[in-house]
Amino acid sequence: SFAFAFTDNLVRDRKFMSYGAPRFLSTYAEGKGEHFDVELPGHPVAFFFQFKIPEVMQRKRWLKAGGRLDVPFYRMNLRQDKFFPQHHGLLACETAGKNVYYACPRFHTNPELDRLFSRGEIHHHSAWFRPSKVTPPEYVSPHGVAYDLTGQKAEVRSETPRTYEGSFDFA
């Protein structure tokens, strides 16, 4: 539901210049080397999104020492299967000059989804993370991004936590 609502609201936004129909990939295509969920033809370049549904964190335990997020916050996990092939595929797309993002909601209830969708604001209440900003430092530990509801604070989390640098919203 989030992927459809995000895509619909984004292509209907007058600030986003889409010139074709969204291309949603099948799980089969993703497994054969395409590492994104949807491609949006845009001008001058296309956008590629990998959607992630985060966990809602109610306690700071996951942040360990130095965590600066207030609860509740969200945690987007990256898959560790076989050394992060999805993440490395997204990095390769970004390195090739494509606009590639992980897209995650900054809300977590169905009433919020319905309200934001009807207003055309799903993409404004979502976190957009560049793969290059969340590069895994190693291949053996759990890895992800923790972020707040406001879209102002985020931390790349693994064995060595780092503050996420830069904005991560539609603007």
Side-chain angles (χ1 to χ4, degrees), residues 1-8 10 23-24 30 35-40 48-54 76-77 79 86 90 101-105 122 126-127:
S1 296
F2 170 71
F4 172 81
F6 177 96
T7 304
D8 176 83
L10 181 60
R23 181 172 70 110
F24 285 92
E30 278 192 76
H35 297 285
F36 54 88
D37 289 324
V38 67
E39 174 186 0
L40 299 176
F48 298 84
F49 292 98
Q50 177 62 47
F51 299 106
K52 296 289 184 186
I53 301 302
M76 173 194 79
N77 293 314
R79 290 185 181 170
Q86 181 183 70
L90 294 172
Y101 296 92
Y102 286 108
C104 315
I122 294 287
S126 298

PDB file of all heavy atoms in Angstrom, residues 1-8 10 23-24 30 35-40 48-54 76-77 79 86 90 101-105 122 126-127:
ATOM      1  N   SER A   1       0.815  -1.204   0.000  1.00  0.00           N
ATOM      2  CA  SER A   1       0.000   0.000   0.000  1.00  0.00           C
ATOM      3  C   SER A   1       0.854   1.260   0.000  1.00  0.00           C
ATOM      4  O   SER A   1       0.566   2.218  -0.706  1.00  0.00           O
ATOM      5  CB  SER A   1      -0.927   0.019   1.211  1.00  0.00           C
ATOM      6  OG  SER A   1      -1.842  -1.037   1.137  1.00  0.00           O
ATOM      7  N   PHE A   2       1.936   1.232   0.817  1.00  0.00           N
ATOM      8  CA  PHE A   2       2.804   2.418   0.865  1.00  0.00           C
ATOM      9  C   PHE A   2       3.435   2.693  -0.500  1.00  0.00           C
ATOM     10  O   PHE A   2       3.454   3.834  -0.958  1.00  0.00           O
ATOM     11  CB  PHE A   2       3.896   2.245   1.931  1.00  0.00           C
ATOM     12  CG  PHE A   2       4.950   3.313   1.860  1.00  0.00           C
ATOM     13  CD1 PHE A   2       4.654   4.616   2.240  1.00  0.00           C
ATOM     14  CD2 PHE A   2       6.214   3.027   1.384  1.00  0.00           C
ATOM     15  CE1 PHE A   2       5.618   5.618   2.154  1.00  0.00           C
ATOM     16  CE2 PHE A   2       7.185   4.008   1.298  1.00  0.00           C
ATOM     17  CZ  PHE A   2       6.887   5.311   1.686  1.00  0.00           C
ATOM     18  N   ALA A   3       3.942   1.660  -1.174  1.00  0.00           N
ATOM     19  CA  ALA A   3       4.610   1.865  -2.466  1.00  0.00           C
ATOM     20  C   ALA A   3       3.648   2.481  -3.487  1.00  0.00           C
ATOM     21  O   ALA A   3       4.015   3.423  -4.203  1.00  0.00           O
ATOM     22  CB  ALA A   3       5.170   0.543  -2.980  1.00  0.00           C
ATOM     23  N   PHE A   4       2.434   1.960  -3.555  1.00  0.00           N
ATOM     24  CA  PHE A   4       1.461   2.523  -4.490  1.00  0.00           C
ATOM     25  C   PHE A   4       1.115   3.962  -4.125  1.00  0.00           C
ATOM     26  O   PHE A   4       1.124   4.847  -4.984  1.00  0.00           O
ATOM     27  CB  PHE A   4       0.172   1.691  -4.526  1.00  0.00           C
ATOM     28  CG  PHE A   4      -0.897   2.373  -5.321  1.00  0.00           C
ATOM     29  CD1 PHE A   4      -0.903   2.283  -6.703  1.00  0.00           C
ATOM     30  CD2 PHE A   4      -1.870   3.147  -4.691  1.00  0.00           C
ATOM     31  CE1 PHE A   4      -1.868   2.949  -7.450  1.00  0.00           C
ATOM     32  CE2 PHE A   4      -2.839   3.815  -5.429  1.00  0.00           C
ATOM     33  CZ  PHE A   4      -2.844   3.714  -6.816  1.00  0.00           C
ATOM     34  N   ALA A   5       0.813   4.208  -2.848  1.00  0.00           N
ATOM     35  CA  ALA A   5       0.418   5.554  -2.412  1.00  0.00           C
ATOM     36  C   ALA A   5       1.539   6.562  -2.643  1.00  0.00           C
ATOM     37  O   ALA A   5       1.298   7.674  -3.121  1.00  0.00           O
ATOM     38  CB  ALA A   5       0.013   5.520  -0.940  1.00  0.00           C
ATOM     39  N   PHE A   6       2.770   6.184  -2.325  1.00  0.00           N
ATOM     40  CA  PHE A   6       3.928   7.057  -2.538  1.00  0.00           C
ATOM     41  C   PHE A   6       4.059   7.401  -4.024  1.00  0.00           C
ATOM     42  O   PHE A   6       4.181   8.565  -4.402  1.00  0.00           O
ATOM     43  CB  PHE A   6       5.199   6.344  -2.039  1.00  0.00           C
ATOM     44  CG  PHE A   6       6.465   7.114  -2.257  1.00  0.00           C
ATOM     45  CD1 PHE A   6       6.990   7.902  -1.235  1.00  0.00           C
ATOM     46  CD2 PHE A   6       7.159   7.046  -3.455  1.00  0.00           C
ATOM     47  CE1 PHE A   6       8.163   8.611  -1.417  1.00  0.00           C
ATOM     48  CE2 PHE A   6       8.330   7.747  -3.651  1.00  0.00           C
ATOM     49  CZ  PHE A   6       8.839   8.535  -2.627  1.00  0.00           C
ATOM     50  N   THR A   7       4.018   6.375  -4.867  1.00  0.00           N
ATOM     51  CA  THR A   7       4.186   6.583  -6.304  1.00  0.00           C
ATOM     52  C   THR A   7       3.068   7.439  -6.879  1.00  0.00           C
ATOM     53  O   THR A   7       3.317   8.396  -7.623  1.00  0.00           O
ATOM     54  CB  THR A   7       4.248   5.222  -7.028  1.00  0.00           C
ATOM     55  OG1 THR A   7       5.305   4.448  -6.457  1.00  0.00           O
ATOM     56  CG2 THR A   7       4.481   5.388  -8.504  1.00  0.00           C
ATOM     57  N   ASP A   8       1.842   7.129  -6.518  1.00  0.00           N
ATOM     58  CA  ASP A   8       0.697   7.900  -7.005  1.00  0.00           C
ATOM     59  C   ASP A   8       0.815   9.375  -6.605  1.00  0.00           C
ATOM     60  O   ASP A   8       0.670  10.264  -7.441  1.00  0.00           O
ATOM     61  CB  ASP A   8      -0.600   7.319  -6.444  1.00  0.00           C
ATOM     62  CG  ASP A   8      -1.809   8.146  -6.843  1.00  0.00           C
ATOM     63  OD1 ASP A   8      -2.327   7.950  -7.957  1.00  0.00           O
ATOM     64  OD2 ASP A   8      -2.229   9.020  -6.037  1.00  0.00           O
ATOM     65  N   LEU A  10       3.447  11.075  -5.692  1.00  0.00           N
ATOM     66  CA  LEU A  10       4.615  11.726  -6.276  1.00  0.00           C
ATOM     67  C   LEU A  10       4.375  12.116  -7.730  1.00  0.00           C
ATOM     68  O   LEU A  10       4.653  13.246  -8.129  1.00  0.00           O
ATOM     69  CB  LEU A  10       5.848  10.825  -6.166  1.00  0.00           C
ATOM     70  CG  LEU A  10       7.147  11.410  -6.718  1.00  0.00           C
ATOM     71  CD1 LEU A  10       7.531  12.702  -6.002  1.00  0.00           C
ATOM     72  CD2 LEU A  10       8.264  10.396  -6.597  1.00  0.00           C
ATOM     73  N   ARG A  23       7.171   2.211 -13.746  1.00  0.00           N
ATOM     74  CA  ARG A  23       7.494   0.817 -14.063  1.00  0.00           C
ATOM     75  C   ARG A  23       7.805   0.097 -12.758  1.00  0.00           C
ATOM     76  O   ARG A  23       8.854   0.295 -12.162  1.00  0.00           O
ATOM     77  CB  ARG A  23       8.691   0.738 -15.003  1.00  0.00           C
ATOM     78  CG  ARG A  23       9.058  -0.683 -15.387  1.00  0.00           C
ATOM     79  CD  ARG A  23      10.115  -0.744 -16.467  1.00  0.00           C
ATOM     80  NE  ARG A  23      11.409  -0.327 -15.995  1.00  0.00           N
ATOM     81  CZ  ARG A  23      12.449  -1.147 -15.821  1.00  0.00           C
ATOM     82  NH1 ARG A  23      12.327  -2.433 -16.094  1.00  0.00           N
ATOM     83  NH2 ARG A  23      13.589  -0.688 -15.385  1.00  0.00           N
ATOM     84  N   PHE A  24       6.829  -0.711 -12.297  1.00  0.00           N
ATOM     85  CA  PHE A  24       7.017  -1.517 -11.090  1.00  0.00           C
ATOM     86  C   PHE A  24       7.655  -2.840 -11.495  1.00  0.00           C
ATOM     87  O   PHE A  24       7.197  -3.486 -12.436  1.00  0.00           O
ATOM     88  CB  PHE A  24       5.678  -1.789 -10.399  1.00  0.00           C
ATOM     89  CG  PHE A  24       5.135  -0.611  -9.665  1.00  0.00           C
ATOM     90  CD1 PHE A  24       4.271   0.273 -10.299  1.00  0.00           C
ATOM     91  CD2 PHE A  24       5.479  -0.377  -8.348  1.00  0.00           C
ATOM     92  CE1 PHE A  24       3.759   1.371  -9.615  1.00  0.00           C
ATOM     93  CE2 PHE A  24       4.970   0.715  -7.658  1.00  0.00           C
ATOM     94  CZ  PHE A  24       4.114   1.586  -8.293  1.00  0.00           C
ATOM     95  N   GLU A  30      13.664  -8.217  -9.867  1.00  0.00           N
ATOM     96  CA  GLU A  30      14.592  -7.742  -8.839  1.00  0.00           C
ATOM     97  C   GLU A  30      15.668  -8.783  -8.566  1.00  0.00           C
ATOM     98  O   GLU A  30      16.830  -8.447  -8.370  1.00  0.00           O
ATOM     99  CB  GLU A  30      13.847  -7.432  -7.542  1.00  0.00           C
ATOM    100  CG  GLU A  30      13.192  -6.077  -7.534  1.00  0.00           C
ATOM    101  CD  GLU A  30      12.732  -5.696  -6.145  1.00  0.00           C
ATOM    102  OE1 GLU A  30      13.592  -5.321  -5.321  1.00  0.00           O
ATOM    103  OE2 GLU A  30      11.521  -5.784  -5.893  1.00  0.00           O
ATOM    104  N   HIS A  35      17.601  -3.836  -9.004  1.00  0.00           N
ATOM    105  CA  HIS A  35      17.584  -3.760  -7.543  1.00  0.00           C
ATOM    106  C   HIS A  35      16.679  -2.654  -7.002  1.00  0.00           C
ATOM    107  O   HIS A  35      16.939  -2.095  -5.950  1.00  0.00           O
ATOM    108  CB  HIS A  35      19.008  -3.583  -7.017  1.00  0.00           C
ATOM    109  CG  HIS A  35      19.882  -4.743  -7.342  1.00  0.00           C
ATOM    110  ND1 HIS A  35      19.784  -5.949  -6.679  1.00  0.00           N
ATOM    111  CD2 HIS A  35      20.835  -4.901  -8.277  1.00  0.00           C
ATOM    112  CE1 HIS A  35      20.663  -6.794  -7.180  1.00  0.00           C
ATOM    113  NE2 HIS A  35      21.307  -6.188  -8.156  1.00  0.00           N
ATOM    114  N   PHE A  36      15.644  -2.315  -7.722  1.00  0.00           N
ATOM    115  CA  PHE A  36      14.719  -1.287  -7.258  1.00  0.00           C
ATOM    116  C   PHE A  36      13.292  -1.795  -7.422  1.00  0.00           C
ATOM    117  O   PHE A  36      13.048  -2.771  -8.124  1.00  0.00           O
ATOM    118  CB  PHE A  36      14.934   0.026  -8.028  1.00  0.00           C
ATOM    119  CG  PHE A  36      14.854  -0.134  -9.534  1.00  0.00           C
ATOM    120  CD1 PHE A  36      13.639  -0.032 -10.184  1.00  0.00           C
ATOM    121  CD2 PHE A  36      15.991  -0.395 -10.279  1.00  0.00           C
ATOM    122  CE1 PHE A  36      13.558  -0.188 -11.556  1.00  0.00           C
ATOM    123  CE2 PHE A  36      15.914  -0.552 -11.654  1.00  0.00           C
ATOM    124  CZ  PHE A  36      14.700  -0.446 -12.300  1.00  0.00           C
ATOM    125  N   ASP A  37      12.361  -1.124  -6.762  1.00  0.00           N
ATOM    126  CA  ASP A  37      10.956  -1.518  -6.838  1.00  0.00           C
ATOM    127  C   ASP A  37      10.208  -0.811  -7.960  1.00  0.00           C
ATOM    128  O   ASP A  37       9.323  -1.378  -8.580  1.00  0.00           O
ATOM    129  CB  ASP A  37      10.237  -1.219  -5.513  1.00  0.00           C
ATOM    130  CG  ASP A  37      10.679  -2.140  -4.396  1.00  0.00           C
ATOM    131  OD1 ASP A  37      10.938  -3.328  -4.669  1.00  0.00           O
ATOM    132  OD2 ASP A  37      10.772  -1.666  -3.258  1.00  0.00           O
ATOM    133  N   VAL A  38      10.532   0.479  -8.182  1.00  0.00           N
ATOM    134  CA  VAL A  38       9.823   1.244  -9.207  1.00  0.00           C
ATOM    135  C   VAL A  38      10.779   2.234  -9.862  1.00  0.00           C
ATOM    136  O   VAL A  38      11.656   2.798  -9.220  1.00  0.00           O
ATOM    137  CB  VAL A  38       8.585   1.988  -8.626  1.00  0.00           C
ATOM    138  CG1 VAL A  38       8.980   3.079  -7.651  1.00  0.00           C
ATOM    139  CG2 VAL A  38       7.703   2.563  -9.727  1.00  0.00           C
ATOM    140  N   GLU A  39      10.586   2.402 -11.174  1.00  0.00           N
ATOM    141  CA  GLU A  39      11.298   3.430 -11.936  1.00  0.00           C
ATOM    142  C   GLU A  39      10.270   4.455 -12.381  1.00  0.00           C
ATOM    143  O   GLU A  39       9.228   4.098 -12.936  1.00  0.00           O
ATOM    144  CB  GLU A  39      11.969   2.822 -13.160  1.00  0.00           C
ATOM    145  CG  GLU A  39      12.609   3.858 -14.062  1.00  0.00           C
ATOM    146  CD  GLU A  39      13.151   3.267 -15.362  1.00  0.00           C
ATOM    147  OE1 GLU A  39      13.033   2.043 -15.573  1.00  0.00           O
ATOM    148  OE2 GLU A  39      13.676   4.050 -16.163  1.00  0.00           O
ATOM    149  N   LEU A  40      10.553   5.724 -12.127  1.00  0.00           N
ATOM    150  CA  LEU A  40       9.675   6.805 -12.559  1.00  0.00           C
ATOM    151  C   LEU A  40      10.398   7.624 -13.613  1.00  0.00           C
ATOM    152  O   LEU A  40      11.381   8.300 -13.306  1.00  0.00           O
ATOM    153  CB  LEU A  40       9.299   7.703 -11.380  1.00  0.00           C
ATOM    154  CG  LEU A  40       8.551   7.032 -10.234  1.00  0.00           C
ATOM    155  CD1 LEU A  40       8.326   8.025  -9.105  1.00  0.00           C
ATOM    156  CD2 LEU A  40       7.237   6.477 -10.721  1.00  0.00           C
ATOM    157  N   PHE A  48      14.584   6.167  -9.283  1.00  0.00           N
ATOM    158  CA  PHE A  48      14.458   4.766  -8.923  1.00  0.00           C
ATOM    159  C   PHE A  48      14.273   4.696  -7.418  1.00  0.00           C
ATOM    160  O   PHE A  48      15.032   5.316  -6.671  1.00  0.00           O
ATOM    161  CB  PHE A  48      15.720   3.990  -9.326  1.00  0.00           C
ATOM    162  CG  PHE A  48      15.966   4.005 -10.806  1.00  0.00           C
ATOM    163  CD1 PHE A  48      16.627   5.069 -11.406  1.00  0.00           C
ATOM    164  CD2 PHE A  48      15.516   2.960 -11.604  1.00  0.00           C
ATOM    165  CE1 PHE A  48      16.843   5.085 -12.773  1.00  0.00           C
ATOM    166  CE2 PHE A  48      15.734   2.973 -12.970  1.00  0.00           C
ATOM    167  CZ  PHE A  48      16.404   4.036 -13.558  1.00  0.00           C
ATOM    168  N   PHE A  49      13.274   3.938  -6.978  1.00  0.00           N
ATOM    169  CA  PHE A  49      12.979   3.816  -5.552  1.00  0.00           C
ATOM    170  C   PHE A  49      12.985   2.356  -5.125  1.00  0.00           C
ATOM    171  O   PHE A  49      12.459   1.484  -5.826  1.00  0.00           O
ATOM    172  CB  PHE A  49      11.610   4.409  -5.213  1.00  0.00           C
ATOM    173  CG  PHE A  49      11.558   5.892  -5.366  1.00  0.00           C
ATOM    174  CD1 PHE A  49      11.053   6.471  -6.513  1.00  0.00           C
ATOM    175  CD2 PHE A  49      12.032   6.723  -4.357  1.00  0.00           C
ATOM    176  CE1 PHE A  49      11.015   7.838  -6.661  1.00  0.00           C
ATOM    177  CE2 PHE A  49      12.001   8.100  -4.493  1.00  0.00           C
ATOM    178  CZ  PHE A  49      11.493   8.664  -5.645  1.00  0.00           C
ATOM    179  N   GLN A  50      13.574   2.120  -3.969  1.00  0.00           N
ATOM    180  CA  GLN A  50      13.480   0.834  -3.276  1.00  0.00           C
ATOM    181  C   GLN A  50      12.694   1.127  -2.009  1.00  0.00           C
ATOM    182  O   GLN A  50      13.146   1.903  -1.175  1.00  0.00           O
ATOM    183  CB  GLN A  50      14.861   0.285  -2.934  1.00  0.00           C
ATOM    184  CG  GLN A  50      14.831  -1.003  -2.144  1.00  0.00           C
ATOM    185  CD  GLN A  50      14.168  -2.142  -2.906  1.00  0.00           C
ATOM    186  OE1 GLN A  50      14.446  -2.390  -4.062  1.00  0.00           O
ATOM    187  NE2 GLN A  50      13.264  -2.840  -2.245  1.00  0.00           N
ATOM    188  N   PHE A  51      11.520   0.562  -1.888  1.00  0.00           N
ATOM    189  CA  PHE A  51      10.662   0.832  -0.735  1.00  0.00           C
ATOM    190  C   PHE A  51      11.020  -0.069   0.428  1.00  0.00           C
ATOM    191  O   PHE A  51      11.243  -1.262   0.251  1.00  0.00           O
ATOM    192  CB  PHE A  51       9.193   0.660  -1.110  1.00  0.00           C
ATOM    193  CG  PHE A  51       8.749   1.605  -2.189  1.00  0.00           C
ATOM    194  CD1 PHE A  51       8.523   1.153  -3.472  1.00  0.00           C
ATOM    195  CD2 PHE A  51       8.581   2.948  -1.907  1.00  0.00           C
ATOM    196  CE1 PHE A  51       8.130   2.028  -4.470  1.00  0.00           C
ATOM    197  CE2 PHE A  51       8.190   3.830  -2.903  1.00  0.00           C
ATOM    198  CZ  PHE A  51       7.963   3.371  -4.180  1.00  0.00           C
ATOM    199  N   LYS A  52      11.063   0.496   1.601  1.00  0.00           N
ATOM    200  CA  LYS A  52      11.322  -0.249   2.828  1.00  0.00           C
ATOM    201  C   LYS A  52      10.257   0.145   3.842  1.00  0.00           C
ATOM    202  O   LYS A  52       9.968   1.328   4.018  1.00  0.00           O
ATOM    203  CB  LYS A  52      12.700   0.084   3.413  1.00  0.00           C
ATOM    204  CG  LYS A  52      13.862  -0.307   2.536  1.00  0.00           C
ATOM    205  CD  LYS A  52      14.026  -1.804   2.503  1.00  0.00           C
ATOM    206  CE  LYS A  52      15.252  -2.210   1.713  1.00  0.00           C
ATOM    207  NZ  LYS A  52      15.357  -3.643   1.556  1.00  0.00           N
ATOM    208  N   ILE A  53       9.680  -0.842   4.490  1.00  0.00           N
ATOM    209  CA  ILE A  53       8.732  -0.581   5.572  1.00  0.00           C
ATOM    210  C   ILE A  53       9.506  -0.756   6.876  1.00  0.00           C
ATOM    211  O   ILE A  53       9.979  -1.847   7.173  1.00  0.00           O
ATOM    212  CB  ILE A  53       7.522  -1.531   5.502  1.00  0.00           C
ATOM    213  CG1 ILE A  53       6.806  -1.376   4.157  1.00  0.00           C
ATOM    214  CG2 ILE A  53       6.571  -1.262   6.675  1.00  0.00           C
ATOM    215  CD1 ILE A  53       6.313   0.023   3.837  1.00  0.00           C
ATOM    216  N   PRO A  54       9.640   0.316   7.632  1.00  0.00           N
ATOM    217  CA  PRO A  54      10.470   0.258   8.835  1.00  0.00           C
ATOM    218  C   PRO A  54       9.745  -0.345  10.027  1.00  0.00           C
ATOM    219  O   PRO A  54       8.519  -0.479  10.028  1.00  0.00           O
ATOM    220  CB  PRO A  54      10.770   1.730   9.098  1.00  0.00           C
ATOM    221  CG  PRO A  54       9.530   2.414   8.635  1.00  0.00           C
ATOM    222  CD  PRO A  54       9.083   1.649   7.414  1.00  0.00           C
ATOM    223  N   MET A  76      14.898   1.337   9.557  1.00  0.00           N
ATOM    224  CA  MET A  76      14.909   0.675   8.255  1.00  0.00           C
ATOM    225  C   MET A  76      16.116  -0.251   8.228  1.00  0.00           C
ATOM    226  O   MET A  76      17.249   0.202   8.385  1.00  0.00           O
ATOM    227  CB  MET A  76      15.040   1.693   7.122  1.00  0.00           C
ATOM    228  CG  MET A  76      15.225   1.054   5.768  1.00  0.00           C
ATOM    229  SD  MET A  76      15.774   2.182   4.463  1.00  0.00           S
ATOM    230  CE  MET A  76      17.517   2.307   4.811  1.00  0.00           C
ATOM    231  N   ASN A  77      15.888  -1.526   8.054  1.00  0.00           N
ATOM    232  CA  ASN A  77      16.981  -2.490   8.008  1.00  0.00           C
ATOM    233  C   ASN A  77      17.369  -2.805   6.574  1.00  0.00           C
ATOM    234  O   ASN A  77      16.517  -2.877   5.689  1.00  0.00           O
ATOM    235  CB  ASN A  77      16.579  -3.789   8.703  1.00  0.00           C
ATOM    236  CG  ASN A  77      16.387  -3.587  10.183  1.00  0.00           C
ATOM    237  OD1 ASN A  77      17.210  -2.962  10.841  1.00  0.00           O
ATOM    238  ND2 ASN A  77      15.289  -4.095  10.712  1.00  0.00           N
ATOM    239  N   ARG A  79      19.045  -5.644   4.052  1.00  0.00           N
ATOM    240  CA  ARG A  79      19.210  -7.095   4.008  1.00  0.00           C
ATOM    241  C   ARG A  79      20.687  -7.442   3.997  1.00  0.00           C
ATOM    242  O   ARG A  79      21.478  -6.818   3.311  1.00  0.00           O
ATOM    243  CB  ARG A  79      18.561  -7.661   2.755  1.00  0.00           C
ATOM    244  CG  ARG A  79      17.078  -7.575   2.797  1.00  0.00           C
ATOM    245  CD  ARG A  79      16.493  -8.263   1.599  1.00  0.00           C
ATOM    246  NE  ARG A  79      15.047  -8.152   1.648  1.00  0.00           N
ATOM    247  CZ  ARG A  79      14.262  -8.476   0.657  1.00  0.00           C
ATOM    248  NH1 ARG A  79      14.769  -8.940  -0.457  1.00  0.00           N
ATOM    249  NH2 ARG A  79      12.971  -8.346   0.765  1.00  0.00           N
ATOM    250  N   GLN A  86      21.420  -6.211  -2.984  1.00  0.00           N
ATOM    251  CA  GLN A  86      20.459  -5.168  -3.324  1.00  0.00           C
ATOM    252  C   GLN A  86      21.069  -3.794  -3.101  1.00  0.00           C
ATOM    253  O   GLN A  86      20.995  -2.919  -3.963  1.00  0.00           O
ATOM    254  CB  GLN A  86      19.185  -5.314  -2.485  1.00  0.00           C
ATOM    255  CG  GLN A  86      18.137  -4.274  -2.801  1.00  0.00           C
ATOM    256  CD  GLN A  86      16.930  -4.421  -1.903  1.00  0.00           C
ATOM    257  OE1 GLN A  86      17.006  -4.136  -0.714  1.00  0.00           O
ATOM    258  NE2 GLN A  86      15.829  -4.877  -2.468  1.00  0.00           N
ATOM    259  N   LEU A  90      21.926  -0.884  -5.919  1.00  0.00           N
ATOM    260  CA  LEU A  90      21.437   0.496  -5.854  1.00  0.00           C
ATOM    261  C   LEU A  90      22.596   1.478  -5.890  1.00  0.00           C
ATOM    262  O   LEU A  90      22.524   2.538  -6.528  1.00  0.00           O
ATOM    263  CB  LEU A  90      20.599   0.704  -4.592  1.00  0.00           C
ATOM    264  CG  LEU A  90      19.291  -0.083  -4.538  1.00  0.00           C
ATOM    265  CD1 LEU A  90      18.644   0.060  -3.157  1.00  0.00           C
ATOM    266  CD2 LEU A  90      18.333   0.354  -5.628  1.00  0.00           C
ATOM    267  N   TYR A 101      16.881   6.128  -4.560  1.00  0.00           N
ATOM    268  CA  TYR A 101      16.560   6.365  -3.154  1.00  0.00           C
ATOM    269  C   TYR A 101      15.920   5.137  -2.526  1.00  0.00           C
ATOM    270  O   TYR A 101      15.176   4.408  -3.186  1.00  0.00           O
ATOM    271  CB  TYR A 101      15.550   7.513  -3.008  1.00  0.00           C
ATOM    272  CG  TYR A 101      16.063   8.843  -3.455  1.00  0.00           C
ATOM    273  CD1 TYR A 101      15.875   9.273  -4.763  1.00  0.00           C
ATOM    274  CD2 TYR A 101      16.740   9.677  -2.571  1.00  0.00           C
ATOM    275  CE1 TYR A 101      16.353  10.499  -5.182  1.00  0.00           C
ATOM    276  CE2 TYR A 101      17.214  10.902  -2.983  1.00  0.00           C
ATOM    277  CZ  TYR A 101      17.022  11.311  -4.290  1.00  0.00           C
ATOM    278  OH  TYR A 101      17.509  12.532  -4.699  1.00  0.00           O
ATOM    279  N   TYR A 102      16.189   4.951  -1.248  1.00  0.00           N
ATOM    280  CA  TYR A 102      15.332   4.131  -0.410  1.00  0.00           C
ATOM    281  C   TYR A 102      14.208   5.072   0.006  1.00  0.00           C
ATOM    282  O   TYR A 102      14.449   6.233   0.357  1.00  0.00           O
ATOM    283  CB  TYR A 102      16.054   3.673   0.857  1.00  0.00           C
ATOM    284  CG  TYR A 102      17.077   2.602   0.646  1.00  0.00           C
ATOM    285  CD1 TYR A 102      18.430   2.883   0.739  1.00  0.00           C
ATOM    286  CD2 TYR A 102      16.693   1.287   0.397  1.00  0.00           C
ATOM    287  CE1 TYR A 102      19.383   1.887   0.575  1.00  0.00           C
ATOM    288  CE2 TYR A 102      17.632   0.285   0.230  1.00  0.00           C
ATOM    289  CZ  TYR A 102      18.976   0.603   0.319  1.00  0.00           C
ATOM    290  OH  TYR A 102      19.914  -0.387   0.161  1.00  0.00           O
ATOM    291  N   ALA A 103      12.975   4.612  -0.028  1.00  0.00           N
ATOM    292  CA  ALA A 103      11.841   5.422   0.409  1.00  0.00           C
ATOM    293  C   ALA A 103      11.125   4.677   1.535  1.00  0.00           C
ATOM    294  O   ALA A 103      10.793   3.500   1.390  1.00  0.00           O
ATOM    295  CB  ALA A 103      10.874   5.677  -0.744  1.00  0.00           C
ATOM    296  N   CYS A 104      10.931   5.375   2.661  1.00  0.00           N
ATOM    297  CA  CYS A 104      10.320   4.781   3.850  1.00  0.00           C
ATOM    298  C   CYS A 104       9.311   5.760   4.436  1.00  0.00           C
ATOM    299  O   CYS A 104       9.551   6.962   4.460  1.00  0.00           O
ATOM    300  CB  CYS A 104      11.374   4.518   4.930  1.00  0.00           C
ATOM    301  SG  CYS A 104      12.870   3.768   4.375  1.00  0.00           S
ATOM    302  N   PRO A 105       8.207   5.269   4.944  1.00  0.00           N
ATOM    303  CA  PRO A 105       7.226   6.175   5.551  1.00  0.00           C
ATOM    304  C   PRO A 105       7.725   6.754   6.874  1.00  0.00           C
ATOM    305  O   PRO A 105       8.487   6.113   7.593  1.00  0.00           O
ATOM    306  CB  PRO A 105       6.008   5.279   5.779  1.00  0.00           C
ATOM    307  CG  PRO A 105       6.560   3.902   5.876  1.00  0.00           C
ATOM    308  CD  PRO A 105       7.770   3.872   4.992  1.00  0.00           C
ATOM    309  N   ILE A 122       1.812  11.752   0.713  1.00  0.00           N
ATOM    310  CA  ILE A 122       2.600  10.602   1.173  1.00  0.00           C
ATOM    311  C   ILE A 122       4.099  10.856   1.000  1.00  0.00           C
ATOM    312  O   ILE A 122       4.895  10.629   1.908  1.00  0.00           O
ATOM    313  CB  ILE A 122       2.196   9.311   0.432  1.00  0.00           C
ATOM    314  CG1 ILE A 122       0.768   8.910   0.770  1.00  0.00           C
ATOM    315  CG2 ILE A 122       3.183   8.189   0.710  1.00  0.00           C
ATOM    316  CD1 ILE A 122       0.563   8.346   2.156  1.00  0.00           C
ATOM    317  N   SER A 126       7.597  11.052   3.959  1.00  0.00           N
ATOM    318  CA  SER A 126       8.429   9.873   3.772  1.00  0.00           C
ATOM    319  C   SER A 126       9.885  10.274   3.863  1.00  0.00           C
ATOM    320  O   SER A 126      10.250  11.416   3.598  1.00  0.00           O
ATOM    321  CB  SER A 126       8.161   9.246   2.394  1.00  0.00           C
ATOM    322  OG  SER A 126       6.812   8.832   2.303  1.00  0.00           O
ATOM    323  N   ALA A 127      10.699   9.320   4.254  1.00  0.00           N
ATOM    324  CA  ALA A 127      12.145   9.526   4.287  1.00  0.00           C
ATOM    325  C   ALA A 127      12.727   9.031   2.967  1.00  0.00           C
ATOM    326  O   ALA A 127      12.359   7.963   2.485  1.00  0.00           O
ATOM    327  CB  ALA A 127      12.755   8.767   5.461  1.00  0.00           C
TER     328      ALA A 127
END
